Structures are given as structure tokens and as C-alpha cells.
Amino acid sequence: MPSKPRGITTRRFALSSLIGTVLLIGCSTDFDDALREALQERIDDSSAEIVSIYFHDLNTGDSVIMNGDVRMHAASTMKVPVMIQVFRDASAGWYGLDDSLQVTDRFRSIVDGSPYALSIASDSDSSLYKRLGDMASVRELTELMITVSSNLATNILIQKVGAPRVQHTMRELGADSIEVLRGVEDIKAFEAGMSNTTTARDLGVIMAAIALGDAANDESNQAMLEILWRQRFNDGIPAGLPPEAKVAHKTGLITRINHDAAIVEIADGRRYVLVVLVRGIDEPTVSDTLIADLSRIVYEHVSRTN
């Protein structure tokens, strides 16, 4: 296994200690109590089976975590850990972001090594399928993986960096329970109960690591933020915010699952991490509206504080 890239300082203990302090102290504040009550009222008015929320103000330390340790299918939010590994490896000199990989739609199941193919019909991006057999840069594949949630780009990159190494890096960053086991559409693995899963808390820790500059070196952290800012699916957390808010985020959507994990910067420069995981709503537009409403509630509470 490659050593940890040079120039990266992991503040796992410090971040975990901060979160623990906030949970013990911050949740007794009027701000946290009021925010929790407002969020719960909206959740109770929804048809969701369960909603998990992780909110952490990066300036004040205020924090609200609701069902934060409930494990759910990660859907495409697992692409953020893959991106972090790509940038860490590139910064360590294992390859360059402008190095090229062959575009293929053939991969092997983690269950028994049998081959399977991705389908354009189940992917949110079709552009890469027109280039099968051609070459694409690591940089371009990473952009497609995040901004348009390309499953094909994701599997090509996971094939490059290795899912076990991605999970190991998440543990280093303090995400203690997220499971990044495989690429997308590995049906044999799915049927065997081997799926990528996460909790709101773990996604919050991962997004905070990017925001605080702990996920990789400074140049890589900034590059990852910029990619997340270019996210094209904005019906969740961004939809609940005013136009001047800046949102670096990644969504995840599969049957009856809708997630959004974000770093939000409001007009006065203050920043917070917000993760909303929703399970049990059939219609994506309904769960999008729920996520947007919860985002709006958080923003209104944050913007009222000094």
C-alpha cells in the first residue's frame, strides 16, 4: 500500500475531539435546540422513513446531528472519497492528473471476479460511453465523476486507485464507519449484501476534512472544492439557499434514497457543513423538496446568528 502522500496532515483526533465537544456542549445552546426543533418539525411533516442530518458550523462550532449514525446506502456520495484518493495519489507522485486511462465499460465483480458491464441507461452521463476504447485524463474522469455523477468514470477511477485504499484513507480522516467496497452496478455484490454505505456523520467528517484542508495537500483541497462547486445537480441543498451562497456538494440518488452532502459558504464568508440523507420517499422531486426545505431552515438559523 502506498505511503501517505507528503504534505498531508491528518487532524483526525482534533476533528473528532471538536465534534465530541460540540455534541456535549453545543447541543445545549438555544441555537442548537431551536434548529433541531425546526428541522424535526419539517421531517415529521414528510413521508420519509428516516432522515439523517449532520450540521456543523465551521466558524462557531455549533453542531446538530440527528440520526447521524444510521447507516444507509451511500449512492453516489461515495464518489467524494474516491476523488480524495485520486488527488492524494496524484500529489504523492503515483501518477499525474493529466495522465490518461482507457475508457472501458467492462469491470469485475468483487464477489468472484466475474465480468460485468455498465449500462448507459442507468448512468446520469452518457458522454463517456461514446468514447469507449479511447483515452481520458484522470482530471477529466474526476470532473465527470463528481459534476455529472458519471458511473463509468467512477468505476474507471476505482479500478485505478482501489476501493480498499479509499476506505483506508477515510478511516485516516476520521470517517470510522463508511464502507467503500466496490464500483457501481456490481449486481452480484449487491445481491450478496456488499454495498457502499455511509452515515451522515461520516459524510460530514469527510466534507469537513476538505473544507478545513485536511483531506489532501493545499493545492488538492482547493481543486476538490472547485470541482464540488461545479456540481450540476442542484435540486437539494442549493435549492434552499439564496443565489449568493456558494455550495460545494455531492448528491446521491437511487431508488427511495436521496442524499446531499455540502460545504456551504454564505455571503458574509461564514461556512458550514450540511449533510442530509433521506430514505423511504418514492418520488425524487418530493425528497428534493424536503432536502431543500431543511437546507433553508439551517441557512435561516445560521444567518440570524452573529
Side-chain angles (χ1 to χ4, degrees):
M1 178 180 295
S3 59
K4 186 167 70 175
R6 297 181 298 275
I8 296 175
T9 302
T10 300
R11 293 186 290 176
R12 172 179 175 174
F13 178 78
L15 182 59
S16 298
S17 298
L18 173 62
I19 293 170
T21 301
V22 169
L23 285 173
L24 291 173
I25 299 174
C27 286
S28 65
T29 66
D30 291 341
F31 171 88
D32 293 333
D33 289 343
L35 176 55
R36 183 183 297 273
E37 182 177 347
L39 292 170
Q40 189 62 58
E41 183 177 355
R42 177 62 181 90
I43 292 169
D44 290 343
D45 192 45
S46 76
S47 60
E49 174 188 329
I50 192 162
V51 177
S52 297
I53 295 176
Y54 177 103
F55 162 76
H56 181 67
D57 191 310
L58 296 172
N59 297 91
T60 67
D62 285 312
S63 183
V64 170
I65 302 176
M66 304 170 68
N67 297 316
D69 295 316
V70 173
R71 184 174 298 280
M72 297 194 199
H73 195 295
S76 289
T77 61
M78 51 75 66
K79 296 170 184 177
V80 175
V82 177
M83 175 178 67
I84 291 173
Q85 192 65 54
V86 166
F87 273 94
R88 285 168 68 102
D89 286 355
S91 67
W94 292 96
Y95 47 77
L97 292 174
D98 293 316
D99 287 357
S100 294
L101 301 175
Q102 186 173 41
V103 178
T104 178
D105 62 351
R106 303 288 170 166
F107 306 96
R108 293 196 173 276
S109 173
I110 62 170
V111 173
D112 56 8
S114 60
Y116 70 95
L118 290 191
S119 167
I120 190 172
S122 60
D123 205 327
S124 58
D125 174 61
S126 61
S127 64
L128 206 53
Y129 291 85
K130 301 172 185 177
R131 298 165 55 188
L132 293 176
D134 295 340
M135 307 298 286
S137 71
V138 172
R139 188 187 307 276
E140 180 186 10
L141 292 169
T142 306
E143 179 84 14
L144 291 171
M145 175 176 69
I146 299 298
T147 61
V148 293
S149 206
S150 168
N151 291 339
L152 187 54
T154 301
N155 279 21
I156 295 169
L157 289 171
I158 287 180
Q159 192 168 252
K160 176 70 173 177
V161 302
R165 295 184 58 245
V166 175
Q167 183 158 305
H168 177 79
T169 294
M170 295 307 101
R171 297 293 182 268
E172 285 189 347
L173 294 177
D176 292 327
S177 63
I178 190 170
E179 293 187 339
V180 182
L181 304 179
R182 59 172 174 82
V184 185
E185 299 295 329
D186 184 344
I187 302 303
K188 281 191 175 180
F190 174 78
E191 291 174 346
M194 303 170 68
S195 292
N196 301 316
T197 60
T198 190
T199 64
R201 187 191 304 272
D202 271 15
L203 280 176
V205 167
I206 291 165
M207 298 303 284
I210 296 174
L212 296 172
D214 293 335
N217 62 22
D218 290 344
E219 181 180 357
S220 295
N221 279 307
Q222 183 59 37
M224 287 189 285
L225 273 173
E226 291 174 2
I227 292 172
L228 291 165
W229 282 332
R230 293 192 287 270
Q231 172 63 240
R232 298 187 194 177
F233 303 126
N234 296 305
D235 294 326
I237 288 174
L241 300 171
E244 63 269 20
K246 199 170 187 178
V247 189
H249 72 119
K250 181 70 191 80
T251 59
L253 180 67
I254 57 173
T255 304
R256 306 189 85 233
I257 290 284
N258 197 348
H259 304 328
D260 206 351
I263 302 160
V264 178
E265 181 177 328
I266 62 177
D268 63 8
R270 287 183 293 168
R271 298 188 302 163
Y272 59 85
V273 171
L274 177 62
V275 177
V276 182
L277 310 184
V278 178
R279 184 173 68 202
I281 295 180
D282 292 322
E283 179 54 55
T285 57
V286 175
S287 49
D288 280 339
T289 299
L290 172 60
I291 294 171
D293 288 348
L294 295 171
S295 175
R296 184 179 301 107
I297 290 167
V298 170
Y299 171 79
E300 289 173 350
H301 276 68
V302 171
S303 62
R304 285 199 296 264
T305 63
N306 295 324

